[in-house]
Amino acid sequence: MRQTRKKKMDLRFKLYLIILVPLLAMGGLIMWTTIDSSENASLMTMQHNNQQLAVNTASQLGQESELIKTLSSSTASEESNEYKSLRDELVKVRLQSGALYVYMYNKTSNGWIYTVDGAAWDDKEYSPYGTAMEFNPQIQERLLSGEVVTTGIVDDPTWGQLLSSFTPIKDSQGTVIGYLGIDISAEAVNQVSATSLNNAYRTIIPIFVVVLILSLVMMLFVVRGILGQVRDIKSSLEQVADGNLKVVSKHMTNDQLGDISDLINVMVAQLTNILMGIQQGSNTLQQSSKNIAETAQTNLRQTEELSRAIEEIAIGSTKQAEETEQSVQHSESLGKIMDEVGSYVQQFTHTSEQLSAVQIQVTREHEVLLEKSRENAKRVEHQQEISSSLTTQSELASSISGQIHNILKQTQILSLNASIEAARAGEAGRGFAVVAGEMGQLAQQSERSIQEIDEILSSFVQEIHRMGSHFDANMVAVKEQEEQIADCLQTFRQVSRLSNEVHELAQRLEIRTVDMHSIRQEVEQHLSYIASATEETSAMAEEVTASAEEQQRSANELSNISGQLSSLAGNLKSYSDQFQIELHKSDS
């Protein structure tokens, strides 16, 4: 189910803002640019006009160079006719041009001084002749080099905001005889700027209104198309979120939104393929879990058979140990008899009949011992056959473990592919990513269990090989024992044949008795070796039994893992069944 979402700003309103805000910002920028351009143009116009006025006035004053030179002498004063004539001309220029101030000044050894102020005669705040004048050092350098200097609007603490033009006054010879300054009030600049700005507004505002209306009309058409495509995309995504993968998004606009609509269709197709793959994979996984369970049951049965065979080996080893003890006892009895034969060699003639009886008894016992030794040899051969069968079954279990390992690798590959496809699916594939991660972890756990089973089987095969080598050694010892017992029977037969020749062979019998002592010692040594081999066989049987129990536990664990795989496959199928998928004929 879809989660309830918080109320957000409508996309239509956002699009209107995206278009209107830049338009309004552009309009504001145009207005600011128009104002700034108008002010700069007015300023440049006034600067040019003021500078031209200063140049023309200086050129006219240059024709009266004698008056200016006379006024520059040390005897000049405001009462002189030269001063009055020049001041009248400056007043005339000021009135005709509308300038704020028109004045003449000069450079003396004491600095810059006013020579003629073009203020009205009744103006009490005019600058008297010889009043000190201060200049910007840069303006001074340019004036002294003969340039015409026009400043921008400056804020003078005494005269307020004004614009000034300074130019040298030259005579007909080109010699500088003085300097002229004309100041214009900033209000004149502002008036010109206001007039220019009003003219610009009459042109720009109608154009901007027409552009704004056309932009709004185009915006309505564009936004309508965008919103239609967005509504279709939203509807398609909502149906996909509800689990309906049969939806088809319409391509309505030839832009990125149209590409998104196509991508939604591609995404739905890929999700459909992924879900179909997951369903097929879940079926395969269920079948694999069944095969694993069957393999585990087979291993369990083989383990039980192995346990029974090991128990039989242990019982045979116990019987062999008992028979070996009996053989040792018989060997000790034989030794006593032989000792008696050696000690009573002088009386052997009188006891020949007793010796014959004893020989018959010993012969019978050795025949019994020979028969038991042959039975032990058969048991050892049977144990070798069981060991070979165990080795074959262990190798079969190892091959089955390899098959299971291949299945786990395929499961890991399937989990990795599912994780990749879930990551491509984005938010809609987050659930599949979790399931794929659990599949990968379960496959890793199963792989570790199979590795442990392989290690146990490998150890089991090694122990069986070791047991087979011990069985071979026991077989050799049993055959040697059989041969020695046969030798003893042959010796006793010789003793029976020589019983009638006791007197003649007494000395030979003493020597033979010594030989029999040595043979008895060898028999005892062989019997001790057989006893130790029997103990080792019993210990190995216990180890093999422990390995069989461990294998049985591993088989049980493998069975549990197969159950978990089956449960996981069921969960995957239930997740994929939540989506409505359109099946093609080839898929069905």
Side-chain angles (χ1 to χ4, degrees):
M1 295 180 65
R2 289 176 293 174
Q3 298 178 353
T4 303
R5 300 179 178 176
K6 297 181 180 179
K7 187 176 181 181
K8 298 181 179 179
M9 186 181 296
D10 186 57
L11 180 60
R12 185 190 303 272
F13 183 67
K14 288 183 178 179
L15 291 174
Y16 288 158
L17 286 180
I18 291 173
I19 298 175
L20 285 176
V21 169
L23 285 175
L24 294 176
M26 186 180 298
L29 181 62
I30 291 173
M31 297 299 291
W32 178 81
T33 305
T34 302
I35 294 172
D36 186 68
S37 300
S38 177
E39 291 178 351
N40 291 333
S42 300
L43 178 61
M44 292 177 62
T45 301
M46 295 301 295
Q47 285 178 333
H48 176 73
N49 293 337
N50 194 39
Q51 181 173 333
Q52 193 64 35
L53 176 62
V55 171
N56 293 336
T57 304
S59 177
Q60 293 177 1
L61 293 174
Q63 297 176 3
E64 300 179 3
S65 58
E66 296 299 328
L67 296 177
I68 296 174
K69 291 178 181 179
T70 303
L71 191 61
S72 299
S73 63
S74 58
T75 59
S77 67
E78 294 181 0
E79 300 300 329
S80 61
N81 294 325
E82 293 82 0
Y83 177 85
K84 293 178 181 181
S85 176
L86 291 174
R87 184 168 179 176
D88 288 336
E89 290 186 12
L90 293 181
V91 170
K92 182 180 179 181
V93 171
R94 178 176 60 80
L95 294 175
Q96 290 177 352
S97 63
L100 183 62
Y101 305 108
V102 179
Y103 48 90
M104 292 176 58
Y105 54 94
N106 206 345
K107 182 74 165 57
T108 64
S109 58
N110 295 327
W112 294 90
I113 61 171
Y114 284 99
T115 55
V116 179
D117 189 352
W121 287 100
D122 56 353
D123 189 356
K124 297 181 179 180
E125 294 182 359
Y126 79 100
S127 299
Y129 176 82
T131 303
M133 180 180 179
E134 295 182 359
F135 266 115
N136 187 308
Q138 295 179 354
I139 296 177
Q140 295 181 26
E141 292 179 0
R142 295 176 63 183
L143 281 174
L144 294 176
S145 64
E147 295 183 18
V148 178
V149 181
T150 300
T151 66
I153 296 177
V154 296
D155 191 2
D156 189 274
T158 304
W159 312 109
Q161 291 185 344
L162 48 83
L163 181 149
S164 302
S165 293
F166 306 100
T167 180
I169 302 173
K170 299 180 180 179
D171 57 9
S172 59
Q173 304 298 325
T175 303
V176 177
I177 57 177
Y179 298 91
L180 175 67
I182 299 177
D183 296 338
I184 299 176
S185 174
E187 293 180 359
V189 179
N190 294 333
Q191 291 176 357
V192 174
S193 176
T195 303
S196 302
L197 189 60
N198 291 330
N199 295 330
Y201 283 162
R202 293 190 185 95
T203 304
I204 293 174
I205 291 177
I207 295 175
F208 179 75
V209 171
V210 172
V211 171
L212 182 61
I213 293 173
L214 293 176
S215 300
L216 290 175
V217 173
M218 294 178 63
M219 177 182 66
L220 290 175
F221 284 105
V222 173
V223 169
R224 181 177 298 177
I226 291 174
L227 291 177
Q229 184 69 75
V230 169
R231 280 194 296 269
D232 182 78
I233 292 173
K234 180 182 177 184
S235 176
S236 301
L237 290 177
E238 286 177 348
Q239 295 183 43
V240 172
D242 289 335
N244 182 14
L245 297 182
K246 298 180 181 179
V247 64
V248 177
S249 180
K250 299 179 181 179
H251 187 106
M252 302 173 64
T253 59
N254 295 322
D255 52 13
Q256 285 81 0
L257 290 176
D259 295 339
I260 292 174
S261 178
D262 295 337
L263 289 176
I264 289 175
N265 295 329
V266 174
M267 179 189 71
V268 170
Q270 291 181 352
L271 283 177
T272 302
N273 295 332
I274 290 170
L275 290 173
M276 294 176 64
I278 290 175
Q279 290 178 351
Q280 296 175 359
S282 63
N283 295 330
T284 304
L285 190 59
Q286 287 179 343
Q287 186 64 33
S288 300
S289 64
K290 291 180 181 178
N291 295 334
I292 292 173
E294 293 176 358
T295 304
Q297 293 296 329
T298 303
N299 290 338
L300 189 59
R301 288 195 299 270
Q302 291 178 354
T303 304
E304 292 176 352
E305 293 177 0
L306 179 61
S307 299
R308 288 194 295 271
I310 292 171
E311 289 179 357
E312 293 178 359
I313 293 173
I315 293 171
S317 299
T318 304
K319 290 182 179 179
Q320 184 179 7
E322 292 176 355
E323 292 174 358
T324 303
E325 290 181 357
Q326 292 179 1
S327 299
V328 172
Q329 293 177 0
H330 290 311
S331 178
E332 291 178 354
S333 299
L334 180 61
K336 292 179 181 180
I337 294 171
M338 291 173 64
D339 291 337
E340 290 178 358
V341 171
S343 61
Y344 295 106
V345 173
Q346 298 297 329
Q347 301 175 2
F348 196 82
T349 303
H350 301 288
T351 59
S352 59
E353 294 179 356
Q354 298 177 357
L355 180 60
S356 297
V358 172
Q359 184 269 334
I360 292 170
Q361 183 179 0
V362 171
T363 301
R364 187 181 297 111
E365 291 177 352
H366 276 77
E367 287 176 352
V368 173
L369 181 61
L370 180 61
E371 186 65 23
K372 291 182 179 180
S373 177
R374 289 173 181 173
E375 291 178 357
N376 289 335
K378 292 180 180 180
R379 290 190 184 95
V380 171
E381 291 178 353
H382 182 63
Q383 291 173 355
Q384 288 178 338
E385 292 176 357
I386 293 173
S387 175
S388 177
S389 177
L390 291 175
T391 302
T392 304
Q393 292 176 357
S394 298
E395 292 175 352
L396 177 59
S398 298
S399 65
I400 294 173
S401 175
Q403 295 176 2
I404 296 172
H405 185 68
N406 293 331
I407 292 172
L408 292 176
K409 283 185 176 180
Q410 294 178 359
T411 304
Q412 288 178 346
I413 293 173
L414 178 60
S415 173
L416 179 59
N417 291 334
S419 298
I420 293 172
E421 296 299 333
R424 291 179 179 175
E427 187 68 22
R430 180 173 296 175
F432 300 119
V434 175
V435 174
E438 291 180 355
M439 286 179 61
Q441 293 178 0
L442 183 58
Q444 291 179 359
Q445 293 177 359
S446 301
E447 186 175 7
R448 289 196 294 269
S449 300
I450 293 302
Q451 291 178 356
E452 293 177 358
I453 292 173
D454 290 338
E455 293 175 359
I456 293 171
L457 290 175
S458 177
S459 176
F460 183 72
V461 170
Q462 292 179 0
E463 293 298 331
I464 289 175
H465 285 305
R466 288 179 57 193
M467 185 172 67
S469 63
H470 287 298
F471 285 159
D472 294 336
N474 288 340
M475 190 67 185
V476 174
V478 169
K479 288 182 179 179
E480 290 180 357
Q481 181 182 7
E482 184 178 355
E483 292 175 358
Q484 291 173 359
I485 293 173
D487 292 339
C488 289
L489 290 174
Q490 184 66 29
T491 303
F492 283 122
R493 291 190 184 96
Q494 291 177 1
V495 172
S496 178
R497 288 194 300 268
L498 295 175
S499 61
N500 296 325
E501 300 175 358
V502 173
H503 297 289
E504 297 175 357
L505 299 176
Q507 293 179 352
R508 293 182 182 179
L509 181 59
E510 183 178 4
I511 297 171
R512 185 65 63 182
T513 302
V514 174
D515 293 337
M516 289 176 67
H517 274 295
S518 62
I519 292 172
R520 182 180 65 82
Q521 292 177 356
E522 292 180 0
V523 170
E524 290 179 351
Q525 291 178 357
H526 288 299
L527 290 175
S528 298
Y529 178 75
I530 291 173
S532 62
T534 302
E535 292 177 355
E536 291 180 358
T537 302
S538 299
M540 290 177 62
E542 292 177 356
E543 293 179 357
V544 173
T545 301
S547 299
E549 293 176 354
E550 183 67 25
Q551 186 178 3
Q552 187 175 4
R553 287 194 296 271
S554 300
N556 293 330
E557 185 177 356
L558 186 61
S559 179
N560 294 331
I561 290 172
S562 67
Q564 294 177 0
L565 287 175
S566 179
S567 176
L568 179 59
N571 293 333
L572 284 175
K573 193 172 185 306
S574 64
Y575 290 148
S576 62
D577 290 341
Q578 295 177 3
F579 292 89
Q580 301 176 10
I581 303 175
E582 184 175 1
L583 296 176
H584 303 287
K585 293 183 179 180
S586 59
D587 297 332
S588 61

